């Protein structure tokens, strides 16, 4: 640490700095840039050691997805950016994770492909062809090879070629530098729509082209753009076979993560931040087996379970408490699971914990049974769970009004102890299809291919004076992921993760060798 009176510190605040602020990041190193160095760096490299390109399982589904996305917009050019890097601090960025609609239509997962753009190019017959614009690898004789920390092969590894991505995904591929001309071609006769809020530079490019072509742009184009965004959300409400397989895989890996959580519980008890031990155990599996977490893990022991989005996870895990863990692995294709289990830390539920837990489990079963009935709408699943929750609260003397009054729209007193919804669609986003219209979501009939959660809970906060002391500090949620089958029946794809009281106790005993 320097001192303020350091003899090198200039006191003249008027003096302009000789080195621009923008280049100060270069202060920490010196890169040679002689002609001799550049020539030497660009030569003498043998063939790259690359893997054989395999066709991706998603490739067969991409034409169908593009057709659905473009259907209402015949003759229009539709632009879906992947997004760009987000700064974490200084020159450190977060790992890249593509915008979900881009992942859906390009099939690309993992950390692919920052700054790329998928264009649904209109065809004469009213359909669209998906074209992927990205930055392919460059020659190692270019300076970028060793000098660009974001794209240089020496820094981030070899990027794919246009041909390789074409082989992998079946998409027509083009260099990102050709995007401006491709977007501007016939603009005016051809209208453009773009998904907003994903990549500001591509949005500016599209707006400039629209303005020059005399098309509505900026705010004038907002509703047209948003209609496209809505469409991209709604075509994901029913998953195709590839997506269902990926979701099943995400749940399977999440199951393995929960196995490790149960194994690590004794170590968590002995640690001052036991919740972090639990979070870490799950996170390791998520990175080893998948792309990572679908969302930040909630590891909430004791009263922390009553903070719905408890992600600090810096508390202890105490014997005799319940720990609520809400966690999901996002697999490499970017589909995620979303599972909650509430576990007795010492392996046995107390009588009152079991009472609360069983009520939540009964609500799960009622919701699942309703989902299995023909003619069920998405919102009915929540109503079925709430009937059980309100009934139990009334039986225990906690609900100050009748069950009927509480369930009426003007009442809802039971929601004091369960303020969140029971279900949401699940897929590339943990809260999937978020731009779908209400009539396509809450009010829609359940249909084959829909994948959603069932996750009732009861949260009795430690400072809740409206309830007897024995309930205070107990928080329970049980969350499963379900799929609607072709025949309309519903399968709980997380059924292998134990959840009845007996099964959970046996699971903990088994995992801990008791
Ligand atoms: N993990 C977020 C949720 O359950 O919706
Ligand atoms: Mn959920
Ligand atoms: Mn969850």
């Amino acid at each position: 640490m320097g001192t303020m009176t350091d003899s090198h510190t200039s006191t003249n605040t008027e003096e302009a700095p000789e080195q621009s602020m923008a280049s100060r990041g270069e202060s920490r190193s010196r890169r040679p840039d002689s002609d001799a160095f550049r020539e030497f760096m660009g030569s003498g490299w043998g063939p790259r050691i690359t893997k054989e390109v395999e066709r991706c399982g998603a490739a067969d589904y991409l034409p169908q997805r593009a057709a659905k996305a473009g259907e209402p917009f015949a003759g229009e050019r539709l632009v879906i950016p992947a997004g760009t890097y987000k700064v974490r601090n200084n020159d450190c960025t977060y790992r890249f994770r593509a915008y979900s609609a881009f992942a859906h239509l390009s099939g690309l997962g993992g950390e692919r492909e920052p700054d790329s753009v998928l264009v649904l190019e209109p065809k004469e017959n009213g359909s669209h062809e998906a074209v992927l614009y990205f930055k392919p690898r460059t020659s190692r004789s270019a300076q970028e090879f060793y000098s660009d920390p974001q794209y240089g092969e020496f820094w981030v590894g070899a990027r794919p070629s246009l041909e390789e991505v074409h082989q992998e995904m079946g998409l027509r591929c083009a260099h990102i530098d050709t995007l401006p001309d491709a977007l501007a071609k016939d603009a005016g006769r051809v209208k453009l729509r773009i998904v907003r809020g994903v990549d500001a530079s591509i949005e500016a490019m599209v707006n400039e082209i629209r303005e020059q072509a005399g098309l509505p742009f900026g705010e004038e184009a907002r509703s047209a753009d948003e209609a496209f965004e809505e469409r991209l959300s709604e075509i994901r409400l029913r998953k195709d076979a590839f997506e269902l397989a990926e979701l099943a895989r995400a749940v399977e890996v999440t199951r393995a993560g929960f196995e490790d959580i149960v194994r690590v519980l004794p170590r968590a008890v002995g640690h001052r931040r036991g919740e972090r031990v639990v979070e870490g155990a799950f996170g390791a599996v998520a990175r080893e087996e998948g792309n990572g977490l679908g969302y930040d893990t909630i590891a909430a022991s004791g009263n922390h379970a009553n903070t719905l989005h408890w992600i600090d996870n810096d508390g202890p895990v105490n014997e005799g408490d319940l720990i609520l863990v809400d966690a999901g692995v996002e697999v490499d294709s970017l589909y995620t699971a979303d599972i909650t289990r509430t576990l007795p830390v010492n392996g046995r539920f107390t009588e009152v914990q079991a009472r609360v837990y069983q009520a939540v489990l009964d609500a799960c079963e009622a919701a699942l049974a309703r989902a299995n009935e023909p003619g069920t709408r998405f919102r009915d699943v929540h109503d079925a769970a709430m009937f059980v929750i309100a009934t139990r609260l009334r039986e225990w003397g906690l609900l100050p009004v009748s069950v009927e009054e509480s369930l009426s729209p003007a009442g809802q007193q039971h929601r004091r102890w369960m303020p969140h919804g029971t279900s949401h669609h699940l897929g590339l986003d943990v809260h999937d299809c978020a731009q779908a219209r209400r009539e396509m979501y809450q009010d829609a009939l359940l249909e084959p291919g829909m994948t959603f959660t069932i996750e009732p809970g009861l949260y009795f906060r430690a400072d809740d004076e409206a309830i007897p002391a024995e309930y205070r500090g107990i928080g329970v949620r049980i969350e499963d992921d379900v799929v609607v089958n072709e025949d309309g029946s519903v399968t709980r794809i997380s059924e292998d993760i134990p959840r009845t009281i007996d099964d959970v106790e046996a699971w903990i005993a088994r995992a801990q060798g008791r």
Side-chain angles (χ1 to χ4, degrees), residues 295 309 326 338 424 430-431 455 477 479:
Y295 54 92
H309 282 174
D326 184 340
D338 180 13
H424 55 80
V430 61
H431 296 162
E455 52 176 307
R477 176 164 66 256
E479 177 171 24

Side-chain angles (χ1 to χ4, degrees), residues 269-416:
V269 171
H271 195 287
R272 75 187 192 290
R273 298 206 292 181
E275 291 174 345
R276 292 280 172 98
V277 174
V278 169
E279 177 192 328
F282 190 85
V285 175
R287 277 301 283 171
E288 285 165 28
E289 304 296 333
N291 188 51
L293 299 170
Y295 54 92
D296 286 320
T297 297
I298 297 169
S301 194
N303 189 47
H304 285 162
N306 299 313
T307 300
L308 296 177
H309 282 174
W310 176 257
I311 56 170
D312 290 354
N313 303 339
D314 60 357
V317 171
N318 294 322
E319 293 273 0
D321 280 347
L322 297 177
I323 181 167
L324 181 158
V325 186
D326 184 340
V329 174
E330 176 184 273
V331 289
D332 291 341
S333 55
L334 306 183
Y335 289 84
T336 189
D338 180 13
I339 304 289
T340 306
R341 289 293 181 265
T342 305
L343 310 165
V345 171
N346 64 9
R348 310 287 291 185
F349 289 90
T350 66
E351 192 275 324
V352 64
Q353 287 169 350
R355 192 188 314 153
V356 176
Y357 189 93
Q358 189 61 47
V360 174
L361 187 56
D362 291 346
C364 292
E365 292 291 7
L368 188 67
R370 181 68 61 84
N372 260 305
E373 286 169 17
T376 298
R377 293 182 190 276
F378 192 86
R379 61 177 142 81
D380 300 334
V381 178
H382 172 71
D383 291 347
M386 288 309 94
F387 179 78
V388 173
I389 293 291
T391 303
R392 288 293 184 286
L393 289 168
R394 182 68 182 168
E395 283 167 9
W396 298 338
L398 309 191
L399 202 58
V401 297
S402 70
V403 171
E404 292 68 34
E405 190 177 339
S406 194
L407 292 173
S408 73
Q412 299 291 307
Q413 287 85 348
H414 58 284
R415 296 295 293 276
R416 176 185 174 100

Side-chain angles (χ1 to χ4, degrees), residues 47-183:
R48 284 186 185 79
I49 301 155
T50 51
K51 279 189 275 181
E52 193 78 357
V53 177
E54 277 177 36
R55 189 171 164 87
C56 174
D60 292 343
Y61 296 87
L62 299 182
Q64 200 180 320
R65 294 179 194 171
K68 274 197 205 160
E71 199 180 87
F73 312 110
E76 299 189 38
R77 183 169 292 137
L78 308 165
V79 183
I80 308 115
T84 188
Y85 288 104
K86 288 187 177 63
V87 172
R88 182 179 186 279
N89 61 296
N90 186 24
D91 61 348
C92 294
T93 55
Y94 291 99
R95 283 182 189 282
F96 178 73
R97 199 280 192 190
Y99 175 66
S100 294
F102 172 89
H104 185 235
L105 293 170
S106 70
L108 294 173
E111 296 178 29
R112 301 169 70 190
E113 274 300 326
D115 300 319
S116 61
V117 178
L118 191 85
V119 177
L120 298 180
E121 187 61 28
K123 297 206 290 193
E124 286 304 323
N125 64 5
S127 69
H128 290 83
E129 182 193 17
V131 186
L132 179 66
Y133 294 84
F134 71 99
K135 190 173 169 67
R137 68 167 167 260
T138 43
S139 142
R140 283 166 293 184
S141 61
Q143 235 179 311
E144 173 191 300
F145 167 52
Y146 60 90
S147 71
D148 184 337
Q150 223 156 36
Y151 283 111
E153 189 172 332
F154 217 119
W155 294 80
V156 294
R159 301 177 52 72
S161 68
L162 298 177
E163 179 53 31
E164 283 167 353
V165 176
H166 171 69
Q167 277 175 27
E168 185 186 1
M169 307 309 309
L171 295 169
R172 178 147 75 84
C173 294
H175 197 293
I176 190 72
D177 290 351
T178 66
L179 180 69
D181 286 347
L183 292 183

